[in-house]
Amino acid sequence: AEDLDGEALCDADLAILAADADRYAAYTAAVRREYAHVADDDFRRGRAAILRALLGKPTLFHTAYARDRWEAAAHANVAAELRLLEPS
């Protein structure tokens, strides 16, 4: 909580979650390629669990800068990806 450098680093790492639609799609495709050895159903379950955990946090970002600029877009991207992984 008092590691400002760590908070900035975490926010920089998570900034991809707020990317525009094309960049976010490229990111999710790269994640899937990284886990190509994992069966589709297992990947969907695991990735969905990660996304649900992110959405369950009060905020995705630690710094005010990141929250102000990226929170809404990141939340929308993560929620949209989750809907793709877990269609009703």
Side-chain angles (χ1 to χ4, degrees):
E2 295 185 24
D3 180 2
L4 298 180
D5 291 338
E7 288 179 351
L9 181 62
C10 287
D11 285 356
D13 186 51
L14 293 177
I16 188 63
L17 300 178
D20 65 62
D22 290 339
R23 180 66 185 101
Y24 191 79
Y27 157 73
T28 60
V31 170
R32 184 61 187 114
R33 283 191 305 276
E34 183 178 351
Y35 291 92
H37 62 281
V38 177
D40 286 340
D41 286 343
D42 292 336
F43 177 82
R44 278 192 296 276
R45 277 191 299 275
R47 180 73 178 165
I50 291 167
L51 298 177
R52 279 192 309 276
L54 287 172
L55 292 176
K57 298 172 104 181
T59 174
L60 296 172
F61 298 100
H62 299 281
T63 65
Y65 178 92
R67 283 190 303 273
D68 291 346
R69 286 161 183 82
W70 303 329
E71 186 76 28
H75 197 277
N77 281 339
V78 171
E81 182 184 358
L82 187 57
R83 285 191 300 275
L84 291 174
L85 294 169
E86 298 181 322
S88 299

